[in-house]
Each structure stands twice: as structure tokens, then as C-alpha cells.
Amino acid sequence: MAVLPIRLGVNIDHVATVRNARGGRHPDPVKAAEIAIAAGADGITAHLREDRRHILDADVTRLKDRIGKPLNLEMAATAEMVEIARKLKPHAACIVPERRQERTTEGGLDAAGQREALRAVVGELADAGIRVSLFIAAEPTQIEAAVSIGAPVIEIHTGAWCDAIAAGETAAATAEFDRIARGAGLANRAGLAVHAGHGLDFVTAEKIASLGEVVELNIGHFLIGEAIFAGLGAAVRLMRSAMDRGRAQLGAPGTARSRMR
Ligand code: PXP
């Protein structure tokens, strides 16, 4: 068993949130992406929401044209988004559940409850050469559904774990982390590549990086917030160091090494 490196995808949605608060062009999410990449990001993630509350269509086009690293497009499984993705051809697409009323992507996708619809979407995106992931909770039923749908990648929703830590609920946080670790192991054994994201900060990213099955983290809100104090380049470098510290713990009790594939 070999340890795979862990990639950092920087989600630049909230640069667009700030820009849109006043309209105009500043701050530019593409400039943020370039700074993040120069500081060590392995890819850029952007969520084109149905209501266009932050990232806009023109942003994803400019990101695709201008950044020199993979673009991961987060999107709902709608005909409109599939059409946009098929034209844009990002490196990857992460299918997320989406409700207009929510502040952020609050829960995982119910892959088990919509297998046929998702199989069609995953197939259409894969035919366009896009690597598709499903954003799901670390539940065996959802992981098994991702396999049966034919998605090569899952992204495990880490929000409940991060919320439990932030609330000081130690027992709940431990239970959530164990659930994530078990899910990552199950998915890895089933042949899926495992990503994780939502709500991660320096501490939680370090801990998640100690799970060898997890090969990519997608992180946005904390990094963009931290950039206000430290600058985006510095925040990304600190995140990269935190993830490297976590990876260096592999082999310690309670961590797992990933299977080579
Ligand atoms: N991964 C997915 C699938 C997401 O929907 C989001 C939020 O847009 C993230 C990662 C990043 O979460 P956060 O902004 O809390 O770091």
C-alpha cells in the first residue's frame, strides 16, 4: 500500500461574493485563483449556483481559459448545468445538492434516492471527458450508490464533523470523524477516489489529511476569510503546511494508508 499525495483545491466562490456585494470587477476571482495556485493550490473549485449568487458564468469561462491548474466545477444535477459543463469542459465536476434557500451546501447528495437521474448526468459528463464526483455523506448506502451510478470519485461532506468541533461537542465530533474514516476506507476499497470538503480549517484539514484514503480537500470559506487577515497566498501556504503535517502522521495509530491505483 502506498501513500498518495493529498491535493488542495481552493474554492474561490467567496471572492465573487465580495465582488458582487458592490458589482463591478473587484475583487476578481480569477486573480484570487492565480494567487492561490502560486501559493501551492493544486486546483481551483468554483460553484456555479442556479441563482448565480457568487460565481457567474463569465467567471467559470475565464477560470477555464486562464488558470494553469485543474478546474473543479461544483454544480447541481440540472439540465442547465450539464449543458454548461459539457461546453466548458472543466477537468472535474462535483455534483452537489442545491436549494435556493440554503446559505451553503448544507447536506450531502441523496445518491441512493436518485440513482437513475444521477447515472444519466454522470454518463453525460463523463462522455464530455469530465471526471465526476458526488458530494455525499460518509454513509455506506450513499457510497454503494456512487459505485452503482458509475461515479469514479466521491467527495465526503465534512460539515457535520466541523460543526461538532466548533460547538465543542467532543463525543459527536469523534463519532463523525470515525464515520468519515470508515466511509473513506469503504469507498477506497470499492475503487472510488476519495475527496473531502466543507467547513475545513487548519486544524480539521490537518486531521483529515491523516486519512491516507483521502487524496483531495476542497476548501473555501475559511481560506477566503483568513485571507482578510493574512493575505490569500499566506493562508494557502499555511493550509498546505497543515495538510502536509497531517499526511506526515500516516502510519501513526488511527490513520490509514491508501491503496495504490
Ligand atoms: N466541497 C463542496 C462540494 C462544496 O459544496 C463546498 C462549499 O461550496 C466546499 C467543498 C467548500 O466548503 P467551505 O467553503 O466550507 O470550505
Side-chain angles (χ1 to χ4, degrees), residues 173-190:
T174 303
E176 281 296 335
F177 184 77
D178 290 348
R179 188 164 77 113
I180 291 169
R182 278 195 308 275
L186 181 65
N188 179 258
R189 288 190 298 279

Side-chain angles (χ1 to χ4, degrees), residues 29-133:
V30 176
K31 181 172 179 185
E34 289 168 345
I35 290 170
I37 289 168
D42 299 293
I44 296 299
T45 293
H47 186 173
L48 185 65
R49 293 189 73 106
E50 187 193 6
D51 62 9
R52 309 301 198 269
R53 68 175 68 162
H54 37 54
I55 291 293
L56 306 175
D57 299 62
D59 293 326
V60 291
T61 304
R62 288 174 61 240
L63 284 166
K64 176 71 188 355
D65 290 347
R66 300 251 306 262
I67 64 171
K69 292 272 181 174
L71 174 64
N72 173 32
L73 180 71
E74 290 176 2
M75 52 175 272
T78 62
E80 182 203 13
M81 288 299 152
V82 170
E83 184 62 21
I84 289 171
R86 282 170 57 82
K87 284 196 186 123
L88 182 72
K89 296 197 192 315
H91 167 78
C94 180
I95 309 295
V96 300
E98 203 175 290
R99 284 182 294 127
R100 271 177 191 257
Q101 314 87 301
E102 69 188 359
R103 270 188 292 180
T104 178
T105 314
E106 282 162 7
L109 196 64
D110 181 14
Q114 33 182 338
R115 288 174 200 245
E116 292 316 315
L118 288 174
R119 194 172 284 129
V121 167
V122 169
E124 279 188 79
L125 295 173
D127 287 348
I130 302 166
R131 184 168 157 86
V132 188
S133 68

Side-chain angles (χ1 to χ4, degrees), residues 14 23 53 126 136 151 194 226 239 252:
H14 294 309
R53 68 175 68 162
I136 58 173
V194 183
E226 196 60 17
M239 185 58 79

Side-chain angles (χ1 to χ4, degrees), residues 3 18 39 64 90 156 160 166 174 200 208 218 257:
V3 178
V18 175
K64 176 71 188 355
I156 293 179
T174 303
L200 296 172
I208 281 280
N218 286 299
R257 299 170 86 83

Side-chain angles (χ1 to χ4, degrees), residues 97-254:
E98 203 175 290
R99 284 182 294 127
R100 271 177 191 257
Q101 314 87 301
E102 69 188 359
R103 270 188 292 180
T104 178
T105 314
E106 282 162 7
L109 196 64
D110 181 14
Q114 33 182 338
R115 288 174 200 245
E116 292 316 315
L118 288 174
R119 194 172 284 129
V121 167
V122 169
E124 279 188 79
L125 295 173
D127 287 348
I130 302 166
R131 184 168 157 86
V132 188
S133 68
L134 302 182
F135 188 44
I136 58 173
E139 285 300 325
T141 47
Q142 299 297 345
I143 293 165
E144 179 274 317
V147 174
S148 86
I149 287 164
V153 185
I154 59 163
E155 180 163 325
I156 293 179
H157 196 309
T158 51
W161 173 54
C162 295
D163 287 348
I165 291 178
E169 294 162 357
T170 314
T174 303
E176 281 296 335
F177 184 77
D178 290 348
R179 188 164 77 113
I180 291 169
R182 278 195 308 275
L186 181 65
N188 179 258
R189 288 190 298 279
L192 298 170
V194 183
H195 301 176
H198 211 279
L200 296 172
D201 61 14
F202 294 138
V203 174
T204 47
E206 178 175 338
K207 177 86 174 155
I208 281 280
S210 73
L211 297 175
E213 295 92 347
V214 178
V215 294
E216 179 173 309
L217 301 182
N218 286 299
I219 308 178
H221 184 267
F222 175 80
L223 277 176
I224 303 305
E226 196 60 17
I228 293 171
F229 307 117
L232 183 57
V236 170
R237 278 191 292 277
L238 287 171
M239 185 58 79
R240 186 65 259 175
S241 303
M243 289 164 58
D244 291 344
R245 279 196 304 279
R247 220 46 169 184
Q249 291 165 28
L250 270 172

